[in-house]
Structures are given as C-alpha cells and as structure tokens.
Amino acid sequence: GLFSPEHGVRASIQAGVHLDTYIDEDTGITVYSLYGKNKRPTKEVMDNVDVLTIDIQDNGSRYYTFIYTMAYCMMACAEYDKEFVVFDRPNPVNCEKVEGNKLDVEKYRSFVGYYPMPQRHGLTMGELALLFNKEYGINCKLHVIPMLNWTRDMDFEDTGLPWVIPTPNLPTNATSYVYNATCIFEGTNVSEGRGTTTPFELVGAPWIKSEELSRDLNAYNLPGVFFRPQYYTPTFAKYAGELCGGVYVHITDRKTFEAVKTSWVMLYHIRTKYADNFKINKPYVEGRPTLFHFEAGHDTIIDNSVSLEEQFKLLDDYYNNDLSLSEIGENDNITRQAVRDIIKKGEKKLFEYEEKLLFMKRTLNQEEKIAEVLSELTKIQKESSDKQVAKILECIKKELNCLV
C-alpha cells in the first residue's frame, strides 16, 4: 500500500484539505491517508507492514508537513517494531545555511513545527530522520540510503535532476527559496500569493499600496533580495477575485539572501505600517493557538514585543558572534541543535577538503618518513667513530625534529 501525506500522493490537493483512505485509480493500490483522521499509521495497517519506506521531496523548512509525516511514521515503526527506510533526497535550498528562531515546543508544538528546530533547518530528509531518531528519541529501526555525488552546497538545479512539484504551491525551486520568507503570512490576512501562478513570491492585500510597500522594504537594504511593486488578483484562497497591492519578492543572490531576516522585516513592517488592517487569522480550533502562532514559534515574534533590531540580534548572535551553545540557546532563543549543525557542517567541509587535497595524509606520511630517517641517522651515529660526522648528523636530526 501507499501512505499519503498532505496534498496526496500526486501533489494535486490544496493545502489543509484532509484526505480519507482511497484506492488509486491508475494502480489499484490502497492509499492510506496520513493527513486526515489519522496522521500516523494505525496498528491495523502496520500489522501488514514489514518495511515502511519514504522517498519524498522536502523543501528545507520547519513549516513543511512532510517531515512530520516522516516523524510520525518513524514513531509507528518504533511502536510496532518495524523497519523504516529513508531514500535520501537533496535539500532544494542547499544545506550550507541554517536560519531562524527556536520553536517553543511547550507552547507551539504542531504539525507545522514539532521539534525545536529553526525555520531553515539545513538538513536533508535522511539527516532529519537521523536527528529525529537519535536526538529526539524516536529510536526506530532506521536505515538511510544516502545520495551519490551530492554535496551540501548544491542548489537543486546543481543536481541536474528535474524539479517534480512536491505540492501544488511549490511550482519551482525558486518558490522553495522564498518560502521561508513569506510562508509566515499564511496565518494572517495578508495574501502569500496562493491563487496565482507564483505563490509565495507574491505578498499583498487589497489595503496595501504596492509602490509604497516596495519603496519601504527596499529601504531596509536586505541582502540578496529586491521588492518590486506588483498588483495581482488571486483566483482562489485569500481575496479571490479581489485586486491586491503588494510586492514580488525577487531573490537576486541566493548566497547572501537571508530568508528568515527578510520574513521578519516584511512581517514587522506590514503589521506596523498597516496596523489598522493587519490581522492574525482565527485558530482552526477554538482555544488553541493560531496557525500564525504555530509558525512563528516564539512569543517575541508573535507579540511583536521587541524592536526589529532586537529581533535581528537573535539571528546575529547565531551567525556572527562567538557565543556558546548555551548563551545562544538560553539567552537569545536560538536552538542549540542549529548551532551544533553548523559546527558539524564545518567539520564535514574540512573532511571534504582532506579527501580532495590529502593534507593530513601527506603530513602523516611525511612524519613517518622523517621518523625512519631519524632512526637510520641514529644508527649511523652509533656506528661512526668520526666526531665531526657525529656532530653533523646531530644537527641534521635537530632540523628534522623541527619538521615533525
């Protein structure tokens, strides 16, 4: 059988639409929904499973539900003693950068944020599975099938693979890059571009003036991004059939673009500039936090209680200042795991350089050869009766010892 995440096995169903178990018309295979009444496989289903596998494209974001469908499946495998296999896939926005604030799981754990991770997690599906299994205690029988010829600095285009749309509103890999900057608006009354041909690259509302917002946001001089004035009329979702003023978010340099900082600037500016119009949408379940709360993940961002500069400090300490894991994690609400990931990535990069340049191997070989030469010189010294030769040999040994 097949197990379906949000959006269905063919990525044809819009966000938030719950599914029931059904028979796939083309194959006749039973599709068990994991985005409806049940979000994890039931015992009845798992009794007929020996090995559960996942081969699905993530988009590099904490908000993306696919990674929690994977986590829930891993939990089911741990509970019912089944094998779980991950066929690893590239993170489409590469794995060189990690961005974001620590998710407060005590308050805001949900299906768009289950673990204390940053928004841009910088991991592949296989690495996430290893993280969930070991660090977060799922402890299932996990097997990760690694990728070949992949490196952490690769954008999806660098792989040479075709982009197969994983969900209806991620039509291109460019959408994945901007997703962490604009997805936060889906829990507000600001359109995130759903209902257009460029979802998440557009942000707007009927009460926003395009030219004004474009000018204001560009004045922040954020790296790697330009905000172009754009009017658009969504065909569905928020403001369907209404003219919206807003901006098109152009990423001009992926390497310098900071998605989460861009997200916080846009959010801060719009909710401040248009305070009379901006609203956080109501919760799906009365008495529960809203989608906005779940995605923002921390009261500092939710309440808009500190200045934009103080919000930036959360990110700057994480990137630029020489702070310990505890200082960042406890004082600035930046996840310790994210910092650890950066360190691990640095170590991995060093190992990659070693594989290519063989610095360490050459050094060790050199030391072995010097040790052999020193041993031979010592033998010659002992055998020689010429004091001048012995003196010269001693000088040579001293010079060689300086190289070790």
Side-chain angles (χ1 to χ4, degrees), residues 83-234:
E83 305 280 336
F84 189 76
V85 179
V86 180
F87 293 91
D88 206 4
R89 288 193 177 217
N91 183 323
V93 296
N94 77 52
C95 290
E96 285 196 310
K97 187 179 287 188
V98 177
E99 302 179 60
N101 61 291
K102 179 182 178 181
L103 175 67
D104 185 346
V105 294
E106 296 299 320
K107 287 185 176 181
Y108 303 120
R109 171 170 276 172
S110 75
F111 205 52
V112 292
Y114 195 84
Y115 294 115
M117 296 161 50
Q119 284 93 325
R120 182 176 178 179
H121 52 67
L123 300 173
T124 68
M125 287 292 279
E127 290 169 338
L128 284 167
L130 292 167
L131 175 70
F132 297 166
N133 206 46
K134 184 175 180 180
E135 297 294 332
Y136 299 139
I138 294 178
N139 296 321
C140 71
K141 295 176 181 177
L142 174 64
H143 309 276
V144 176
I145 310 302
M147 294 175 280
L148 299 177
N149 304 316
W150 174 84
T151 57
R152 305 193 72 78
D153 61 341
M154 280 185 173
D155 291 335
F156 192 85
E157 293 88 343
D158 297 328
T159 67
L161 299 171
W163 178 255
V164 179
I165 298 174
T167 53
N169 291 296
L170 285 179
T172 69
N173 190 40
T175 321
S176 294
Y177 261 94
V178 79
Y179 183 86
N180 275 316
T182 58
C183 185
I184 191 69
F185 288 105
E186 69 179 359
T188 74
N189 66 340
V190 176
S191 163
E192 69 280 8
R194 279 193 170 95
T196 74
T197 57
T198 52
F200 297 109
E201 295 182 86
L202 289 169
V203 169
W207 33 268
I208 288 177
K209 296 180 179 179
S210 288
E211 290 78 8
E212 184 177 69
L213 181 60
S214 168
R215 182 178 62 249
D216 290 349
L217 291 177
N218 284 323
Y220 286 96
N221 293 315
L222 293 169
V225 64
F226 179 78
F227 302 95
R228 177 170 58 80
Q230 182 68 56
Y231 289 92
Y232 62 97
T233 303

Side-chain angles (χ1 to χ4, degrees), residues 11 70 74 83 113 128 134 139 164 168 221 230 268 306 314 323 383 388:
M70 179 174 72
M74 291 169 65
E83 305 280 336
L128 284 167
K134 184 175 180 180
N139 296 321
V164 179
N221 293 315
Q230 182 68 56
Y268 180 87
V306 299
L314 298 178
L323 299 183
E383 295 171 358
Q388 186 65 25

Side-chain angles (χ1 to χ4, degrees), residues 208-273:
I208 288 177
K209 296 180 179 179
S210 288
E211 290 78 8
E212 184 177 69
L213 181 60
S214 168
R215 182 178 62 249
D216 290 349
L217 291 177
N218 284 323
Y220 286 96
N221 293 315
L222 293 169
V225 64
F226 179 78
F227 302 95
R228 177 170 58 80
Q230 182 68 56
Y231 289 92
Y232 62 97
T233 303
T235 58
F236 64 89
K238 297 174 196 170
Y239 306 118
E242 292 187 58
L243 180 64
C244 293
V247 292
Y248 193 106
V249 184
H250 285 280
I251 299 176
T252 57
D253 186 343
R254 288 179 174 178
K255 297 297 183 185
T256 61
F257 177 61
E258 298 174 16
V260 177
K261 181 176 280 191
T262 301
S263 176
W264 290 1
V265 167
M266 296 176 72
L267 177 64
Y268 180 87
H269 187 84
I270 290 174
R271 74 192 301 191
T272 302
K273 175 98 174 179

